[in-house]
Amino acid sequence: IEVEGVEAGIRVDLGDKDSIDAAFTQIPASVDCFFGVAGVMGAAFPFLKTVKINLLSNKYMAEQLLPQRMGEGGAISFIASAIASGWQKQGNLKYFKDVVDADGWDAALEALQAGGMDQLSPLLAYPYSKMAMCYLISKLQSLYGPKHVRVNGVCPGATRSAFGSESADVYQVNASTDDAEFMAFAGYSGRIAAPEEMSYPLLYLNSKYASYISGAIVFADYGINAEVEAGLRPNYIGGTLEEILRQGNG
């Protein structure tokens, strides 16, 4: 399939380090901008598979493969999720900090397994990996800042897509504008976002118009996270990972 402006498409399994390495042998030696937007909801996969795709692949590419390809003026944008709201709370952070801090793919896997996280319910893999992505974005500042390469992230809210429908299925709400529980994820907008409305902030953050912005984690959820941070409403998963695990839902 030919797409205007696209030089080539490379098939890669983001859950497989060797597949990522092979893909990077086919891309240019110099990269101006990188968009880390791939991901899976996780209900159909074991916890570990989802975390590999959503988190470890981005961590590996950002820490091991991209630094030598990116120079001054470059920019990286990742997609996380509005479900990561409250990621910096200790009741969340303590479950993924050691994984993100680990040096390399294998060490990160070992940290996951040492903490028993790989045995958790697949339903927790998505919020876990997206919260961890927010911490990764923060941690990457010290790696890329001295190179004058900016790293930011976008946390999409409810978006009209096949992925959004799967999310609704996983969290047992009816993906319909007639369903009040589902529409609660739309905030005050009263509508579900179009997919391109999540691409706009990604493009902005990687453009010259955001030349002095790095470390930003933009919640594109029409104000829901602002209320969560202010203590005006519960977060998307109803508490911290610690609280959920204590209740036996993990």
Side-chain angles (χ1 to χ4, degrees):
I1 299 175
E2 294 187 3
V3 179
E4 184 178 356
V6 175
E7 179 68 22
I10 303 168
R11 186 178 294 274
V12 58
D13 178 358
L14 290 175
D16 185 332
K17 174 179 172 292
D18 292 338
S19 180
I20 297 171
D21 286 337
F24 264 75
T25 65
Q26 302 177 63
I27 69 172
S30 178
V31 175
D32 296 319
C33 291
F34 179 82
F35 295 85
V37 301
V40 295
M41 177 53 61
F45 302 109
F47 183 94
L48 190 56
K49 179 71 171 178
T50 298
V51 173
K52 285 180 179 179
I53 294 170
N54 290 359
L55 172 64
L56 297 194
S57 64
N58 286 316
K59 171 178 161 61
Y60 178 65
M61 290 185 287
E63 293 180 344
Q64 307 296 327
L65 301 179
L66 286 171
Q68 59 268 38
R69 283 177 162 83
M70 302 193 73
E72 183 164 353
I76 299 171
S77 282
F78 290 111
I79 280 282
S81 171
I83 206 168
S85 181
W87 66 269
Q88 63 272 71
K89 292 183 177 180
Q90 186 58 30
N92 293 317
L93 188 63
K94 68 179 185 179
Y95 290 102
F96 50 76
K97 185 178 185 299
D98 288 348
V99 175
V100 177
D101 287 346
D103 185 13
W105 181 282
D106 292 338
L109 278 178
E110 290 174 6
L112 262 171
Q113 293 162 342
M117 303 305 296
D118 58 322
Q119 301 301 314
L120 292 181
S121 164
L123 295 181
L124 281 178
Y126 186 73
Y128 175 90
S129 59
K130 294 304 184 177
M131 288 181 182
M133 276 302 302
C134 292
Y135 176 60
L136 175 65
I137 291 165
S138 301
K139 188 171 183 293
L140 289 174
Q141 302 307 309
S142 61
L143 174 60
Y144 284 98
K147 296 167 63 67
H148 297 164
V149 174
R150 299 177 298 102
V151 184
N152 296 291
V154 174
C155 291
T159 305
R160 188 176 65 249
S161 65
F163 194 87
S165 297
E166 182 184 357
S167 175
D169 291 342
V170 168
Y171 294 101
Q172 299 180 337
V173 295
N174 178 20
S176 166
T177 54
D178 295 326
D179 186 86
E181 189 175 4
F182 180 65
M183 288 305 294
F185 291 101
Y188 295 106
S189 68
R191 64 179 179 83
I192 304 302
E196 57 268 26
E197 291 180 287
M198 299 303 139
S199 69
Y200 299 152
L202 278 171
L203 291 169
Y204 166 73
L205 289 169
N206 268 5
S207 76
K208 66 179 182 180
Y209 300 107
S211 59
Y212 206 73
I213 298 175
S214 191
I217 299 173
V218 178
F219 279 79
D221 65 353
Y222 220 98
I224 292 179
N225 180 67
E227 292 192 329
V228 172
E229 291 297 313
L232 299 175
R233 71 157 74 200
N235 71 351
Y236 287 84
I237 60 174
T240 64
L241 292 171
E242 181 178 44
E243 290 165 344
I244 292 169
L245 292 171
R246 189 186 301 131
Q247 293 165 6
N249 294 335

